Amino acid sequence: MSRSDTPLVLVVDDEPAQRALLTYNLEAAGFRVATASDGEEALLVSAEEAPDVILLDWMLPRVSGIEVCRQLKAQKGGADAAIIMVSARSDESDRVRGLETGADDYITKPYSVNELLARVRANLRRVRPARAGQVLEVKDLTLDPEAHRVHRNGQELHLGPTEFRLLSALMEKSGRVWTREALLDRVWGRDIYVDTRTVDVHIGRLRKALMAKGGDDPIRTVRGAGYSLD
C-alpha cells in the first residue's frame, strides 16, 4: 500500500501529551496521522487533508468538539470521514448528544489504546472499506484491494494504478454521483494540481478496461455533475 493509500487519522486534542501518545500508537498501528490542538485548527486541517477518521475531543478551546462535529457533518463531503467523539463525559445524555450531533462513535476517558484502535479500524471498515483491506463487490464486479485485483463475472481485468483507485472510490460509494473535483481529491490527492479533464481521460480508460471481456458500461455519466457506478 502506498503512503497516499494509507488511512489518515486526524487527532484533535488540546493536550500535547495526549496528541503525542495517540500519534505514536496510531503510527505504530500503520496509520498516517495529522493533528490539531483546537476546534478552528481541526476544521482547517480536515478541509485540507480529508482524513478518513477523526478522533475528536469534546472539550476544545475556541470551537468545542460538538460544534466541530456539527460543522463537519454539515459540510459537503463531511460525512465521508468517520468522527469518533472522545470525552470524559460518561453520562448517557452526553453520549446521545454527541451521536445525535453527527458523531459516528463515542468513547469515554479513560480508555485503553487497544480499544481505541479497534474503534478506529471498525469505523474505517465502514467509511473506507477498500483502505481497510475489505473486498468490494458491486453487481458483477469484485475488487480486492490487498491483492490489487479486479474481476468481472469471474474474469480478471487488468487496470492501471490510477484506474484501480478510481474504481475503488466508485465502488466504495456505489450509487453516489462523484464530481470530478471529488475524484481528483480522492484519487490524486489535494496537494497535486491536476486538470479536471484528466478525470475524464482516466474514466474513459477505466470504462474500456471494464468492458474488455464483455458486459455493459457500468459507469454512468451525470451531465453537469460527474460520474456514478450503479
Side-chain angles (χ1 to χ4, degrees):
M1 183 180 287
S2 68
R3 178 172 173 79
S4 62
D5 289 331
T6 303
L8 174 64
V9 179
L10 171 58
V11 175
V12 187
D13 199 298
D14 62 330
E15 297 181 13
Q18 190 69 11
R19 291 198 305 274
L21 176 65
L22 289 173
T23 297
Y24 173 81
N25 283 283
L26 286 163
E27 289 181 342
F31 297 100
R32 290 184 296 136
V33 180
T35 62
S37 58
D38 60 54
E40 287 185 0
E41 186 181 10
L43 292 169
L44 289 172
V45 174
S46 179
E48 292 174 355
E49 300 292 338
D52 300 299
V53 178
I54 302 174
L55 293 176
L56 181 60
D57 190 54
W58 183 308
M59 301 296 292
L60 293 172
R62 297 189 179 182
V63 182
S64 71
I66 279 286
E67 179 59 19
V68 170
C69 180
R70 188 194 66 77
Q71 290 191 34
L72 287 174
K73 289 300 183 179
Q75 292 173 2
K76 184 178 180 180
D80 287 348
I83 297 178
I84 302 176
M85 188 72 71
V86 182
S87 175
R89 298 170 177 254
S90 59
D91 290 347
E92 180 183 5
S93 60
D94 292 319
R95 292 197 300 273
V96 169
R97 183 184 174 195
L99 294 170
E100 288 186 341
T101 302
D104 299 275
D105 203 351
Y106 191 103
I107 187 168
T108 56
K109 299 178 180 180
Y111 52 79
S112 76
V113 171
N114 286 337
E115 180 187 0
L116 186 68
L117 291 174
R119 298 280 189 99
V120 170
R121 293 189 185 100
N123 280 277
L124 183 65
R125 285 194 295 272
R126 183 181 60 78
V127 296
R128 296 284 193 277
R131 287 191 175 185
Q134 183 175 326
V135 174
L136 305 179
E137 295 184 7
V138 178
K139 295 184 178 177
D140 58 356
L141 283 169
T142 303
L143 182 148
D144 186 332
E146 294 193 338
H148 211 273
R149 290 183 173 178
V150 174
H151 291 82
R152 187 172 190 187
N153 284 323
Q155 293 184 296
E156 186 169 2
L157 304 177
H158 299 286
L159 275 63
T162 301
E163 287 70 44
F164 186 90
R165 292 195 298 272
L166 269 173
L167 181 61
S168 176
L170 292 169
M171 290 182 69
E172 279 190 342
K173 305 286 186 180
S174 63
R176 164 183 171 171
V177 177
W178 287 83
T179 64
R180 291 167 177 82
E181 291 77 12
L183 286 171
L184 281 174
D185 287 345
R186 171 66 75 85
V187 176
W188 281 268
R190 299 192 176 199
D191 56 345
I192 298 175
Y193 175 75
V194 181
D195 191 277
T196 54
R197 288 174 293 183
T198 302
V199 176
D200 300 331
V201 172
H202 285 279
I203 286 287
R205 292 176 181 172
L206 176 58
R207 280 175 158 147
K208 184 177 180 180
L210 293 177
M211 295 187 291
K213 297 184 179 180
D216 296 331
D217 182 3
I219 300 174
R220 177 169 59 97
T221 300
V222 181
R223 183 180 292 273
Y227 300 99
S228 177
L229 184 73
D230 296 324

